[in-house]
Structures are given as C-alpha cells and as structure tokens.
Amino acid sequence: MKRILVLNGSCRYQGSTQFFLESLFNNLDSKEYKVQYLFCRDFNKMRLNPNTLYDISYTQRNGDSKIYELEEMILKSDCFVVASPVYMHNISSDLKLILEKLSTWSHTLRLDGKPCLVLSTCNSNGNTTVTGYLCKVLTSMGGKVIANCNALEYQLRDKKWVTSVRKQIQKRINDKSLFYHSSSSAIEEVFIILKKVIELREKSGDESEEVMYWKTNNLINFETFQEYLTWKGN
C-alpha cells in the first residue's frame, strides 16, 4: 500500500485548502493508497532553535520532538503533498517555520527523489509566487515535483472544475512511471552545485554534519543524483 502524506499549511482545520485536498484525495482506492492529513500548526509548538537547525543525525534533539516525528513520517511516505493558502503573496507562516526547521534537507537532498505535489488556494492572485517557491524548495530537498495546482475560491464551488483537477492529479499519482523515487533535470542542477560546495568544504577540513552525511552515504562519490538513487536501490 502506498502512503501519501499531505501537509497543510493553513491555520484552519476546515478551511478552503483542506476542502481542496480532501476533494482530490479522499476517493483514492483505499486498498492501494493510505492518505494521511497533517497540519503544520500541530508541529510548531516550539519556535526555531538555531542550535539544532543542522542536526542531520538527530544526536542533538531538543524539546521540539514534534518536528522529528514529522520528519520521520515524511521520509516513510511514498508521496509527499505540500499545500498552503496564499497569505500576502506567500505561504503561511506555519508552513514557513516547518520548512526552516527542515532546511538542512536542502543541503542533503534528503527526499531522495520522492514524488511530491504542490497545491495552493487563494481568493485572487499570488498563487504563482507560492507554488513556484514550494516547487523550488522541494526540488532543493531532492523531491521530484510531479504536479502543482492552485484553486481559486470560486473554482472550489465548481464541481466540474474540481472533478477535472482531481482526475488530472490522480492520473499523475496512478502513473507508475512517476510514482517512484527518481531524479529530474531540476534536481540534477541542484546536485551539481551542492556537490561542488561539499567537495570544497571537505578539502578545507570541514567535518560538519552535512559534509559527513555526503561522505557516510556515498553521495559525494557519484557524478549524478540518479546514479546515487540507482545505487541506493530507490
């Protein structure tokens, strides 16, 4: 059974964003997919702690155990969905804080080519800023974005529109050629830049968690990210 983890950045449990998400995923075949909905606000009980921001090995866990719980659920999922309402042409502050707590993933490609979807809702404009930003962040974390979509308020009241989008999204999810860990041209661009930086840091004697992650996991020994994923067995 494939596990789809849906992370909602809205501050409302029954808002437009959650309505959009449930409209897209609630009728997936329960024998084939398990969908879990989470809200960023439930994982932000503590503010950002700079002392553990780059703690890849979890050896310096602070009192914010919720973020580690979320990390583990994301890594165990087969598909990661990130959604946010548009607030002042940007993502919600709850989602932004989560991404900052996971920021070390953007230096280690921790999502390992996991299929990702980006969704947003808004009343008028600003959605391209939100979806563009989230696609960029997930790609920098090693996520393979297979679809992104925005829903305006009036569109959510249009059953035909919602049905059409649901069919398109579920077609992407059911596409076996997409629904597995693999690289993309966007991820490869990130990999090339990161590898050069990590190699320079290693030569300078840097033994930080990030450099050690690249070395311990053999990521630094491959010319492309896809070669690494193939070697790893994804």
Short mmCIF file of all heavy atoms in Angstrom, two decimals, residues 209-232:
data_model
loop_
_atom_site.label_atom_id
_atom_site.label_comp_id
_atom_site.label_asym_id
_atom_site.label_seq_id
_atom_site.Cartn_x
_atom_site.Cartn_y
_atom_site.Cartn_z
N GLU A 209 28.00 18.11 10.08
CA GLU A 209 27.02 17.05 9.85
C GLU A 209 26.70 16.90 8.37
O GLU A 209 26.55 15.79 7.85
CB GLU A 209 25.74 17.34 10.64
CG GLU A 209 25.88 17.28 12.14
CD GLU A 209 25.82 15.86 12.67
OE1 GLU A 209 25.76 14.93 11.86
OE2 GLU A 209 25.83 15.69 13.90
N GLU A 210 26.57 18.02 7.66
CA GLU A 210 26.22 17.97 6.24
C GLU A 210 27.30 17.28 5.41
O GLU A 210 27.01 16.41 4.59
CB GLU A 210 25.98 19.38 5.71
CG GLU A 210 24.74 20.02 6.26
CD GLU A 210 24.55 21.43 5.75
OE1 GLU A 210 25.46 21.97 5.10
OE2 GLU A 210 23.48 21.98 6.01
N VAL A 211 28.56 17.66 5.62
CA VAL A 211 29.67 17.05 4.88
C VAL A 211 29.75 15.56 5.21
O VAL A 211 29.94 14.73 4.32
CB VAL A 211 31.00 17.75 5.22
CG1 VAL A 211 32.17 17.00 4.58
CG2 VAL A 211 30.97 19.19 4.75
N MET A 212 29.60 15.21 6.47
CA MET A 212 29.66 13.82 6.89
C MET A 212 28.51 13.01 6.29
O MET A 212 28.66 11.84 5.97
CB MET A 212 29.65 13.72 8.41
CG MET A 212 30.91 14.30 9.08
SD MET A 212 32.44 13.61 8.37
CE MET A 212 32.26 11.87 8.80
N TYR A 213 27.35 13.64 6.14
CA TYR A 213 26.21 12.95 5.51
C TYR A 213 26.55 12.57 4.08
O TYR A 213 26.29 11.44 3.65
CB TYR A 213 24.96 13.85 5.53
CG TYR A 213 23.75 13.21 4.88
CD1 TYR A 213 22.87 12.44 5.63
CD2 TYR A 213 23.51 13.35 3.51
CE1 TYR A 213 21.77 11.84 5.03
CE2 TYR A 213 22.42 12.76 2.90
CZ TYR A 213 21.55 12.01 3.67
OH TYR A 213 20.47 11.40 3.08
N TRP A 214 27.13 13.50 3.33
CA TRP A 214 27.50 13.22 1.94
C TRP A 214 28.54 12.11 1.86
O TRP A 214 28.48 11.26 0.97
CB TRP A 214 28.05 14.49 1.29
CG TRP A 214 26.99 15.39 0.74
CD1 TRP A 214 26.10 16.16 1.45
CD2 TRP A 214 26.70 15.62 -0.64
NE1 TRP A 214 25.29 16.86 0.60
CE2 TRP A 214 25.63 16.55 -0.70
CE3 TRP A 214 27.24 15.16 -1.83
CZ2 TRP A 214 25.09 17.00 -1.90
CZ3 TRP A 214 26.71 15.60 -3.04
CH2 TRP A 214 25.64 16.51 -3.06
N LYS A 215 29.46 12.07 2.80
CA LYS A 215 30.51 11.06 2.79
C LYS A 215 30.00 9.71 3.30
O LYS A 215 30.25 8.68 2.66
CB LYS A 215 31.69 11.53 3.65
CG LYS A 215 32.40 12.77 3.10
CD LYS A 215 33.47 13.28 4.05
CE LYS A 215 34.60 12.29 4.23
NZ LYS A 215 35.68 12.82 5.09
N THR A 216 29.31 9.72 4.40
CA THR A 216 28.82 8.47 5.00
C THR A 216 27.85 7.75 4.08
O THR A 216 27.84 6.51 4.00
CB THR A 216 28.14 8.76 6.35
OG1 THR A 216 29.07 9.40 7.22
CG2 THR A 216 27.64 7.47 6.99
N ASN A 217 27.01 8.50 3.38
CA ASN A 217 26.01 7.89 2.49
C ASN A 217 26.50 7.74 1.05
O ASN A 217 25.71 7.39 0.17
CB ASN A 217 24.73 8.73 2.52
CG ASN A 217 24.02 8.66 3.85
OD1 ASN A 217 23.28 7.72 4.12
ND2 ASN A 217 24.25 9.65 4.71
N ASN A 218 27.80 8.00 0.81
CA ASN A 218 28.42 7.85 -0.50
C ASN A 218 27.86 8.79 -1.57
O ASN A 218 28.13 8.61 -2.76
CB ASN A 218 28.29 6.40 -1.01
CG ASN A 218 29.16 5.45 -0.21
OD1 ASN A 218 30.29 5.79 0.15
ND2 ASN A 218 28.65 4.27 0.09
N LEU A 219 27.09 9.76 -1.15
CA LEU A 219 26.52 10.71 -2.11
C LEU A 219 27.60 11.47 -2.86
O LEU A 219 27.46 11.77 -4.06
CB LEU A 219 25.62 11.69 -1.34
CG LEU A 219 24.70 12.62 -2.13
CD1 LEU A 219 23.79 11.81 -3.07
CD2 LEU A 219 23.84 13.43 -1.17
N ILE A 220 28.71 11.72 -2.19
CA ILE A 220 29.79 12.50 -2.78
C ILE A 220 30.56 11.73 -3.86
O ILE A 220 31.31 12.31 -4.65
CB ILE A 220 30.77 12.96 -1.66
CG1 ILE A 220 31.62 14.14 -2.13
CG2 ILE A 220 31.64 11.79 -1.20
CD1 ILE A 220 32.42 14.79 -1.04
N ASN A 221 30.35 10.42 -3.93
CA ASN A 221 31.10 9.58 -4.87
C ASN A 221 30.42 9.39 -6.21
O ASN A 221 30.92 8.65 -7.07
CB ASN A 221 31.36 8.21 -4.24
CG ASN A 221 32.24 8.30 -3.01
OD1 ASN A 221 33.19 9.08 -2.98
ND2 ASN A 221 31.92 7.52 -1.99
N PHE A 222 29.27 10.03 -6.42
CA PHE A 222 28.55 9.84 -7.68
C PHE A 222 28.53 11.12 -8.51
O PHE A 222 28.54 12.23 -7.97
CB PHE A 222 27.11 9.39 -7.39
CG PHE A 222 27.04 8.00 -6.83
CD1 PHE A 222 27.08 7.78 -5.45
CD2 PHE A 222 26.95 6.89 -7.67
CE1 PHE A 222 27.04 6.49 -4.92
CE2 PHE A 222 26.90 5.61 -7.16
CZ PHE A 222 26.94 5.40 -5.78
N GLU A 223 28.50 10.94 -9.83
CA GLU A 223 28.50 12.07 -10.75
C GLU A 223 27.12 12.66 -10.96
O GLU A 223 26.98 13.83 -11.31
CB GLU A 223 29.08 11.64 -12.11
CG GLU A 223 30.55 11.23 -12.04
CD GLU A 223 31.43 12.35 -11.50
OE1 GLU A 223 31.22 13.52 -11.90
OE2 GLU A 223 32.31 12.05 -10.66
N THR A 224 26.08 11.84 -10.79
CA THR A 224 24.71 12.33 -10.92
C THR A 224 23.88 11.82 -9.74
O THR A 224 24.22 10.80 -9.11
CB THR A 224 24.04 11.87 -12.22
OG1 THR A 224 23.80 10.45 -12.16
CG2 THR A 224 24.92 12.18 -13.43
N PHE A 225 22.80 12.51 -9.47
CA PHE A 225 21.91 12.10 -8.38
C PHE A 225 21.17 10.82 -8.75
O PHE A 225 20.91 9.97 -7.89
CB PHE A 225 20.92 13.22 -8.07
CG PHE A 225 20.16 13.00 -6.78
CD1 PHE A 225 20.84 12.87 -5.57
CD2 PHE A 225 18.78 12.95 -6.77
CE1 PHE A 225 20.15 12.67 -4.38
CE2 PHE A 225 18.08 12.76 -5.58
CZ PHE A 225 18.77 12.62 -4.39
N GLN A 226 20.84 10.65 -10.04
CA GLN A 226 20.15 9.43 -10.46
C GLN A 226 21.04 8.20 -10.26
O GLN A 226 20.55 7.14 -9.86
CB GLN A 226 19.74 9.53 -11.94
CG GLN A 226 18.93 8.33 -12.43
CD GLN A 226 17.68 8.08 -11.61
OE1 GLN A 226 16.83 8.95 -11.50
NE2 GLN A 226 17.55 6.89 -11.03
N GLU A 227 22.34 8.33 -10.50
CA GLU A 227 23.26 7.22 -10.26
C GLU A 227 23.26 6.85 -8.79
O GLU A 227 23.29 5.67 -8.44
CB GLU A 227 24.67 7.61 -10.70
CG GLU A 227 24.85 7.72 -12.21
CD GLU A 227 26.25 8.17 -12.58
OE1 GLU A 227 27.05 8.46 -11.66
OE2 GLU A 227 26.55 8.24 -13.78
N TYR A 228 23.21 7.86 -7.95
CA TYR A 228 23.16 7.61 -6.50
C TYR A 228 21.88 6.88 -6.12
O TYR A 228 21.92 5.89 -5.36
CB TYR A 228 23.25 8.94 -5.75
CG TYR A 228 22.88 8.84 -4.28
CD1 TYR A 228 23.73 8.23 -3.36
CD2 TYR A 228 21.67 9.37 -3.83
CE1 TYR A 228 23.38 8.13 -2.02
CE2 TYR A 228 21.32 9.28 -2.48
CZ TYR A 228 22.17 8.66 -1.58
OH TYR A 228 21.83 8.57 -0.26
N LEU A 229 20.73 7.32 -6.65
CA LEU A 229 19.45 6.68 -6.32
C LEU A 229 19.42 5.23 -6.82
O LEU A 229 18.89 4.34 -6.12
CB LEU A 229 18.30 7.47 -6.95
CG LEU A 229 18.03 8.87 -6.37
CD1 LEU A 229 16.91 9.55 -7.15
CD2 LEU A 229 17.68 8.78 -4.90
N THR A 230 19.98 5.00 -7.99
CA THR A 230 20.03 3.64 -8.55
C THR A 230 20.89 2.75 -7.67
O THR A 230 20.54 1.61 -7.36
CB THR A 230 20.60 3.66 -9.98
OG1 THR A 230 19.77 4.48 -10.81
CG2 THR A 230 20.65 2.24 -10.55
N TRP A 231 22.04 3.27 -7.25
CA TRP A 231 22.92 2.52 -6.35
C TRP A 231 22.24 2.23 -5.02
O TRP A 231 22.36 1.12 -4.48
CB TRP A 231 24.20 3.31 -6.11
CG TRP A 231 25.06 2.78 -5.02
CD1 TRP A 231 25.96 1.74 -5.10
CD2 TRP A 231 25.11 3.24 -3.65
NE1 TRP A 231 26.55 1.53 -3.87
CE2 TRP A 231 26.05 2.43 -2.96
CE3 TRP A 231 24.45 4.24 -2.95
CZ2 TRP A 231 26.33 2.60 -1.61
CZ3 TRP A 231 24.73 4.42 -1.61
CH2 TRP A 231 25.67 3.60 -0.95
N LYS A 232 21.50 3.20 -4.53
CA LYS A 232 20.83 3.06 -3.25
C LYS A 232 19.67 2.09 -3.32
O LYS A 232 19.25 1.52 -2.32
CB LYS A 232 20.36 4.43 -2.76
CG LYS A 232 19.88 4.46 -1.31
CD LYS A 232 19.54 5.87 -0.88
CE LYS A 232 19.05 5.88 0.56
NZ LYS A 232 18.68 7.24 1.00
#
